Amino acid sequence: MSTAYDSGLDPSIMAPVFARPGEADSAPRFQLGADPMAAETAYQVVRDEAMLDGNARLNLATFVGTWMDDHANRLYTESFDKNAIDKDEYPQTAAVETYGWRTLADLWHSPDPAGAIGTSTIGSSEACMLGGLALKRRWQQRQRAAGRPTDKPNLVMSSAVQVCWEKFCNYWDVEPRRVPISLDHKVMDGTDLDKYIDENTIGVVAILGVTYTGMYEPVAQIAAALDRIEAATGLDIQIHVDGASGGMIAPFLQPDLIWDFRLPRVASINTSGHKYGLVYPGLGWVVWREASLLPEDLIFRVSYLGGDMPTFALNFSRPGAQVLLQYYAFLRLGRKGFEATQGATAAVARHLADRIGAMGPFELWNDGSDIPVFAWSLREPNSRLWTLYDLSDRLRMRGWLIPAYPMPADLEDLTVQRIVVRNGLGMDLADRLLEDMAADVAYLDSLATPLPDAAGHPAFHH
Ligand SMILES: *Cc1c(COP(=O)(O)O)cnc(C)c1O
């Protein structure tokens, strides 16, 4: 990134001056220094860089876990040296990984959790890639068996998918078919789905917790639309549910919502252990309803580490500690603990949504009753002389990170602002936020209010 500011200093030199005896007073920034640096100095330099980052607890932009308890922290420091791929060297971590996805298969109502298959990943992005790859490979096998071409696969999804699905389509040469969201169809709900589907459709992505707004896509309704399409055309199209956030909310807060393996059309589901799985970054999970849905030729058997371990992953090495942390969270909380934790988070989201909706200038897009995430826009017609970007800036001055951004294609003229409520944002902190927001709205309104000039005529000073 370039910046307009020029300090006149050489940007390639950093100058930590801690006056430690015998130490150089500068070091190159973009090259290795010739000599070692004292550990204290190196530590201080890195810490000082990171200090300028935002405060993670006030970061209401991210879905990713920023807090675990002391026992989890202890476990983390005791296990950060484990490489998840060394399954033969760390067989217990590998076993715990299996407990993890088996638990999720059960939580998501797999008809036969023992016959399901799954894996941990570095996050939902990798998990979605794996889910997408399995869809694509199964489609290729089907096409080849029928003597049909395999050169034009497409994947049907909402225009409001997370960027990982754009990446999947780009990296693996799959045509993305985006169903636009609109004011009438705020999420992909199965309407007109037949216009997007043909024999080259590898699958449909349904999002449980749309990243832009936090709303659930009605997976059962999408499945029913696909049932009708199958009845009319014979095309049996399966669903991958992107439950990056909702996969760890719906089982506890909306247990009667049918979105998971209870729907026969749902072939695979991913979630982010590091979102509402309540673990530090980076951990994701993906589970297939049954082992036969994961084509055998995608699985690698790595023998040079000593054993014969099947793996399906994009990465080779990655941290194993998060897998242990997920198991800790499962044991520590149990079903009731997850219900209580996610329930408290949801109550904060609804409180914030209520109050923000009642402030006057804002129109809620949704109320945080799916995942604890909600978005709002400025009420139309809008005569205000400030935008949500201005409000976001004002809040940032107080440490709150609450982004404003345009909605996806077809609604890109609509700017929304979004809050992601996570474990760690309690009611007290939420009320401080509401106070700050009310003060900032009053301030922005005052800037945009005509002030009388000397002659008593209104004049704008904005
Ligand atoms: C966050 C998110 C992802 C990506 O997950 P990571 O764990 O950050 O890789 C994918 N899909 C949805 C719906 C998300 O919200």
Side-chain angles (χ1 to χ4, degrees), residues 419-430:
I419 285 181
V420 177
V421 182
R422 300 188 315 276
N423 188 22
L425 178 65
M427 281 293 184
D428 288 340
L429 203 53

Side-chain angles (χ1 to χ4, degrees), residues 86-204:
D86 293 346
K87 293 178 198 278
D88 212 50
E89 285 68 19
Y90 307 125
Q92 278 323 107
T93 299
V96 167
E97 183 188 19
T98 302
Y99 307 162
W101 62 255
R102 287 275 300 266
T103 301
L104 291 173
D106 177 67
L107 196 61
W108 296 334
H109 300 96
S110 160
D112 172 22
I117 189 146
T119 183
S120 71
T121 60
I122 194 75
S124 272
S125 300
E126 186 188 10
C128 292
M129 301 283 157
L130 302 183
L133 281 170
L135 286 175
K136 183 178 174 191
R137 186 61 57 91
R138 292 206 306 275
W139 166 81
Q140 285 170 329
Q141 290 173 345
R142 242 180 5 250
Q143 289 288 96
R144 285 198 192 105
R148 288 195 294 259
T150 58
D151 57 338
K152 287 200 168 64
N154 68 69
L155 180 65
V156 175
M157 56 180 113
S158 158
S159 61
V161 283
Q162 210 265 355
V163 66
C164 71
W165 291 106
E166 316 266 349
K167 285 189 185 173
F168 169 78
C169 290
N170 182 331
Y171 296 171
W172 276 281
D173 287 317
V174 173
E175 176 203 342
R177 292 206 174 152
R178 300 183 187 84
V179 180
I181 59 166
S182 65
L183 293 174
D184 293 334
H185 301 278
K186 287 177 153 185
V187 291
M188 183 177 82
D189 56 12
T191 309
D192 290 341
L193 205 52
D194 53 328
K195 295 197 180 130
Y196 297 85
I197 285 182
D198 59 27
E199 65 168 40
N200 290 320
T201 301
I202 66 171
V204 172

